[in-house]
Amino acid sequence: VAVIGYGVIGRRVASGLRAQPDMEPAGVVVRGAGPPAIAVALRGHSLFGSDGRACDELARAGLECAGDTDDLLARSGAVVDCGPSRTAEARLDAYRAAEIPVALGGGEPADLAEATVCSSANYDDARGRSVVRVASCNVTGLVRLLAPLQRHFGVRGAGAALIRCAADPNKGSKGVVDGVELRTARSHHAEDVRRIIPGIDLHTQALSVPMTQGHVAMMTIELSREVALDDLVDLYSSTPRVLLDWRESDSTGAAGARAARAGRERGDWPEVLLYARSLATRRARLHLTAAIHMESIVIPDTIDCVRAMVDPGSDAAASLRTTDQALGLANPAWRYESDSLSPT
Ligand SMILES: NC(=O)c1ccc[n+]([C@@H]2O[C@H](COP(=O)([O-])OP(=O)(O)OC[C@H]3O[C@@H](n4cnc5c(N)ncnc54)[C@H](OP(=O)(O)O)[C@@H]3O)[C@@H](O)[C@H]2O)c1
């Protein structure tokens, strides 16, 4: 699998692919001889330049360059485009010419792709496709929380308030340094969730605050019937890629520190972190609070997406399990059942 770009997502996709039993990163494309190129080489990935100029720059810096983008595509069975948001369109012709499927990032416009996918809900939509967009971090978090509710109890309507990091740790120039950046209209997230869970009645609002360690989602969900709290706890405890946490207080920074202490590379936590004590019901209404590590949450879904595109006959539940085990995420309580994956 070719990896284009070695930023926040690219470096995680490359190491995630390497961990899989049935995939290999064929190489990583960079644009020049900066720190990402050195990191690619140190990690033992094959290094490619985006074009001839980049290849020359790599060679001048003493880095072994295995070729340009076309050379990498020629030796790959699929490609994951990890370039900055809204830049992939310029590279699509090269992917089409190479006749290999591409997984795009969630920052790309939805209409560039045949489907937007969060694999634990709509793996099927990626099967055999040529261009699939992997849902963005917040959308992935919302879908992981809503899809099992929709499947098991039905969702009448929902609202989510997203408190978003102003920037990733590597994108300080993007962020507000003081105050809250408000978007007064509804946010785009609900529309994307509906691409994955068709027809769901969801309203999302988002604001950005000066932090970089993870987003927070506070949700109110109207279920189709009254559900006991214990049943909700049981459901989420067994839902892959949802980590139920019982502590009374937390911070997104502490979540990363815990992950790092547990041996997770870069302190990543690709599960959506659902605070069990936030679960509160009143008749059919459910409230919850969850945290989302934007830098890593989409990595398992991206890997599943590649598998579904390359192997249309693959089993969704088996793919999720394989991905999670290889990434060191598998939780013994999670139930990987094909019939619980597609929301009704
Ligand atoms: N970051 C997140 O939290 C997050 C979460 C979910 C989804 N996403 C989505 O994932 C995608 C990637 O985001 P990101 O945050 O990883 O971006 P990023 O950190 O800005 O990294 C993008 C990388 O792509 C490189 N690049 C640009 N054009 C290239 C080309 N033609 N060939 C090879 N490399 C190229 C950039 O190199 P230079 O350094 O030389 O510019 C940079 O290293 C976006 O669609 C984004 O919306 C991001």
Side-chain angles (χ1 to χ4, degrees):
V1 180
V3 180
I4 310 297
Y6 204 66
V8 168
I9 300 297
R11 71 182 87 116
R12 290 174 166 85
V13 165
S15 59
L17 288 168
R18 178 180 270 170
Q20 302 302 311
D22 55 349
M23 300 183 201
E24 265 298 313
V28 178
V29 170
V30 297
R31 294 205 303 176
I38 296 166
V40 170
L42 285 175
R43 295 231 163 198
H45 298 300
S46 296
L47 180 64
F48 291 76
S50 50
D51 53 19
R53 184 207 51 78
C55 292
D56 290 345
E57 197 179 306
L58 293 171
R60 272 200 306 278
L63 292 161
E64 195 179 322
C65 176
D68 64 13
T69 303
D70 291 337
D71 294 323
L72 175 58
L73 297 178
R75 64 163 81 166
S76 304
V79 53
V80 183
D81 188 292
C82 307
S85 301
R86 296 187 170 270
T87 65
E89 190 169 7
R91 295 181 288 275
L92 277 183
D93 280 346
Y95 306 148
R96 287 195 193 101
E99 296 182 356
I100 56 174
V102 54
L104 302 177
E108 299 302 335
D111 58 10
L112 272 195
E114 296 156 275
T116 295
V117 166
C118 173
S119 61
S120 51
N122 67 334
Y123 187 95
D124 289 350
D125 287 345
R127 289 182 195 282
R129 300 283 201 182
S130 304
V131 186
V132 169
R133 168 179 177 248
V134 179
S136 71
C137 46
N138 278 309
V139 173
T140 301
L142 295 177
V143 169
R144 284 191 197 160
L145 296 168
L146 286 168
L149 294 177
Q150 171 83 328
R151 171 77 184 144
H152 289 268
F153 311 121
V155 172
R156 262 209 199 112
L162 298 165
I163 299 130
R164 309 197 305 166
C165 295
D168 289 333
N170 74 333
K171 299 183 184 77
S173 60
K174 246 180 80 177
V176 286
V177 291
D178 189 15
V180 174
E181 196 187 316
L182 290 153
R183 292 264 187 275
T184 51
R186 68 177 63 186
S187 76
H188 67 87
H189 304 92
E191 192 185 341
D192 264 345
V193 170
R194 271 191 292 279
R195 294 181 207 282
I196 297 166
I197 310 178
I200 193 160
D201 177 2
L202 174 69
H203 182 90
T204 51
Q205 303 171 85
L207 46 81
S208 299
V209 302
M211 61 181 192
T212 60
Q213 303 294 316
H215 306 310
V216 173
M218 303 174 93
M219 304 182 71
T220 302
I221 302 157
E222 245 1 284
L223 300 169
S224 297
R225 62 179 168 86
E226 211 167 314
V227 179
L229 211 47
D230 282 352
D231 292 341
L232 291 164
V233 168
D234 285 351
L235 176 66
Y236 279 131
S237 308
S238 62
T239 300
R241 301 177 185 170
V242 174
L243 198 58
L244 209 58
D245 190 302
W246 287 89
R247 76 197 63 233
E248 283 184 8
S249 64
D250 200 12
S251 75
T252 48
R258 285 197 301 276
R261 273 200 307 278
R264 295 276 184 87
E265 215 178 344
R266 295 170 289 258
D268 285 351
W269 34 292
E271 307 94 336
V272 58
L273 193 52
L274 171 58
Y275 293 103
R277 288 174 196 270
S278 73
L279 292 170
T281 51
R282 187 156 177 270
R283 291 192 282 277
R285 182 174 300 169
L286 166 66
H287 301 274
L288 61 83
T289 299
I292 292 165
H293 187 221
M294 66 279 185
E295 297 183 276
S296 64
I297 189 170
V298 298
I299 304 308
D301 297 79
T302 304
I303 291 166
D304 291 332
C305 190
V306 170
R307 202 175 275 120
M309 288 192 294
V310 171
D311 181 5
S314 53
D315 179 76
S319 175
L320 265 74
R321 186 199 300 274
T322 301
T323 301
D324 289 354
Q325 283 178 346
L327 294 179
L329 302 180
N331 180 327
W334 290 348
R335 280 204 303 270
Y336 295 89
E337 294 168 338
S338 287
D339 70 352
S340 70
L341 298 176
S342 306
T344 48

